[in-house]
């Protein structure tokens, strides 16, 4: 059974700091997605990682994928309050399904 | 705006009732996915349809059913509702091609069962 584990599940940090969210998964896949969800809102696609070594950056967020380690990271640089949200990773099962992590709730304090 | 639409936005109903949630995918997307998100269960995949046919099933209760119509819109039917069915229900769509199954989410329907 494919498992996707995110950690931490909750993260409170100060503005200006750097931090990393980890997404580990238990079976072979070379496609992984990161989504953002604001409270009570829908999910928004952030990054699509389609191969080993893929790295994508958007503003203060950078995502990477290591398929050999079955690990993806979402790195936050010099955090700002607007990045407060819940972040989900989802692993492509290659059979039309995505398996979702539990989400990391990120709170960034001024 | 993802291009995926869902109606209604909010729904309040009583236990034992039946409701229908509607989803229209992005133009050109053939796949529709339904998810349930509650506070204690996270994001749960319910079911997927591709071009009118059921393709994958997740943790969908027998009281729930779905279908995708020829115009590709989809409906999720929830019956014999219980308090525990109160949740946000999301629909997502994907084109299923080009090497990615990236999903685009609708705004959701918030269901409250009283």
């Amino acid at each position: 059974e494919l498992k996707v584990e995110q950690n931490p599940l909750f993260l409170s940090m100060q503005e200006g700091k750097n931090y990393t969210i980890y997404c580990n998964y238990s079976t072979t896949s070379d496609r992984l997605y990161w989504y953002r969800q604001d409270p009570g809102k829908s999910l928004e696609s952030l990054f699509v990682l389609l191969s080993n070594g893929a790295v994508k950056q958007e503003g203060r967020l950078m995502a990477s994928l290591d398929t050999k380690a079955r690990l993806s990271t979402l790195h936050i640089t010099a955090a700002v309050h607007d990045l407060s949200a819940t972040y989900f990773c989802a692993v492509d099962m290659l059979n039309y399904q995505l398996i979702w992590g539990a989400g990391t709730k990120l709170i960034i304090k001024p | 705006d993802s291009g995926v639409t869902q109606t209604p936005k909010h729904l309040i109903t009583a236990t034992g009732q039946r409701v229908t949630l509607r989803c229209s995918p992005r133009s050109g997307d053939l796949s529709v996915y339904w998810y349930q998100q509650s506070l204690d269960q996270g994001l749960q995949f319910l079911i997927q349809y591709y071009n009118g046919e059921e393709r994958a099933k997740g943790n969908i209760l027998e009281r729930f059913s779905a279908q995708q119509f020829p115009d590709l819109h989809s409906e999720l039917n929830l019956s014999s509702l219980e308090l525990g069915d109160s949740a946000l229900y999301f629909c997502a769509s994907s084109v299923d091609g080009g090497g990615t199954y990236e999903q685009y989410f609708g705004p959701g329907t918030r269901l409250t069962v009283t």
Side-chain angles (χ1 to χ4, degrees):
Chain A
E1 180 189 352
L2 173 64
K3 291 185 179 178
V4 178
E5 295 184 348
Q6 284 184 237
N7 69 83
L9 297 182
F10 178 81
L11 177 57
S12 178
M13 56 193 291
Q14 296 291 325
E15 277 192 330
K17 300 291 187 183
N18 303 332
Y19 210 82
T20 301
I21 298 170
Y22 298 89
C23 175
N24 293 272
Y25 55 98
S26 61
T27 195
T28 302
S29 176
D30 59 1
R31 297 197 292 221
L32 188 140
Y33 310 87
W34 283 95
Y35 286 81
R36 168 183 172 147
Q37 185 180 33
D38 292 313
K41 303 293 186 182
S42 186
L43 283 81
E44 173 191 0
S45 179
L46 289 175
F47 298 111
V48 177
L49 304 170
L50 298 179
S51 62
N52 185 41
V55 177
K56 295 279 185 75
Q57 183 163 7
E58 180 73 33
R60 300 174 188 274
L61 300 178
M62 184 174 70
S64 65
L65 178 61
D66 182 344
T67 60
K68 293 179 181 177
R70 298 177 184 173
L71 170 69
S72 180
T73 60
L74 180 66
H75 187 73
I76 303 149
T77 301
V80 294
H81 179 69
D82 286 351
L83 291 178
S84 297
T86 297
Y87 294 86
F88 291 91
C89 65
V91 176
D92 198 322
M93 282 282 283
L94 306 182
N95 66 350
Y96 322 119
Q97 288 190 64
L98 299 186
I99 305 299
W100 294 81
T104 296
K105 184 172 183 178
L106 176 62
I107 296 176
I108 300 170
K109 300 177 180 179
Chain B
D1 184 353
S2 67
V4 179
T5 61
Q6 289 186 248
T7 57
K9 284 187 179 180
H10 302 278
L11 198 49
I12 301 175
T13 189
T15 55
Q17 296 298 306
R18 173 190 170 93
V19 297
T20 297
L21 312 183
R22 183 188 169 103
C23 168
S24 292
R26 293 186 322 156
S27 177
D29 285 358
L30 300 178
S31 272
V32 169
Y33 306 76
W34 286 99
Y35 291 89
Q36 179 192 58
Q37 187 179 40
S38 53
L39 283 176
D40 58 348
Q41 294 279 340
L43 193 66
Q44 299 288 324
F45 166 69
L46 296 179
I47 197 164
Q48 180 205 1
Y49 278 81
Y50 176 80
N51 203 20
E53 299 290 326
E54 182 184 307
R55 182 180 255 186
K57 223 170 190 178
N59 300 317
I60 188 165
L61 299 172
E62 286 191 9
R63 301 182 285 109
F64 296 179
S65 65
Q67 54 184 327
Q68 187 180 26
F69 295 86
D71 66 353
L72 301 178
H73 91 272
S74 178
E75 293 181 355
L76 178 67
N77 300 295
L78 314 176
S79 61
S80 302
L81 285 167
E82 302 175 358
L83 295 177
D85 297 327
S86 295
L88 262 174
Y89 290 84
F90 289 108
C91 165
S93 73
S94 66
V95 67
D96 285 7
T100 173
Y101 294 98
E102 183 181 7
Q103 295 178 18
Y104 296 85
F105 281 75
T109 293
R110 181 173 293 280
L111 173 66
T112 302
V113 182
T114 62

